[in-house]
Amino acid sequence: QVQLVESGGGLVQPGGSLRLSCAASGLTLDYYAISWFRQVPGKEREGVACIGGSADNPFYADSVKGRFTISRDYVTKTVNLQMNSLQPEDTAIYHCATDRNAGAPFCAIVPDYMKLWGQGTPVNVSS
């Protein structure tokens, strides 16, 4: 069964950091653009960051630019989201997703483009 699994969420104080990971079973993440989204209950899903198959063209939403970094780990076969300077407004369920377009060099943070989603990992930024 093909699936994405996120990990690394938790409770952190404002100004703190977390590192989320996205792993896959049934497909090799190296070949796919991967995007991170977040969602707060009652609000629309928001695109956060993405990385294309070439791994040298990350894209960030303005709300996280300069604080979040997306990267690939070719050893662990994961896509990671390093989140620094976290603020209460970053509190959400974070999901990774892919459009399953193998080899595509570019990425997007448009939910409708995604074909496979993980179940999400919660991030709670609170003092």
Side-chain angles (χ1 to χ4, degrees):
Q1 183 179 359
V2 178
Q3 60 180 353
L4 300 178
V5 179
E6 303 92 338
S7 61
L11 173 65
V12 63
Q13 293 186 341
S17 299
L18 282 175
R19 184 178 178 85
L20 307 183
S21 289
C22 177
S25 61
L27 81 167
T28 301
L29 284 186
D30 296 354
Y31 305 136
Y32 297 91
I34 301 296
S35 303
W36 282 96
F37 297 85
R38 63 188 182 187
Q39 188 165 24
V40 175
K43 294 188 176 181
E44 289 190 1
R45 189 166 289 179
E46 176 189 10
V48 174
C50 66
I51 190 165
S54 63
D56 61 359
N57 59 343
F59 179 82
Y60 300 94
D62 288 343
S63 57
V64 306
K65 199 173 293 183
R67 300 188 298 124
F68 290 13
T69 302
I70 189 171
S71 62
R72 291 187 184 274
D73 187 324
Y74 291 100
V75 175
T76 60
K77 304 295 185 184
T78 58
V79 173
N80 303 310
L81 186 68
Q82 178 66 42
M83 306 187 298
N84 299 329
S85 302
L86 285 163
Q87 300 300 318
E89 53 265 34
D90 295 314
T91 295
I93 306 294
Y94 283 72
H95 301 265
C96 63
T98 178
D99 61 9
R100 298 202 68 177
N101 187 8
F106 302 107
C107 65
I109 50 173
V110 179
D112 288 348
Y113 290 179
M114 303 299 120
K115 301 290 178 58
L116 180 67
W117 293 84
Q119 84 289 347
T121 185
V123 171
N124 186 1
V125 185
S126 174
S127 55

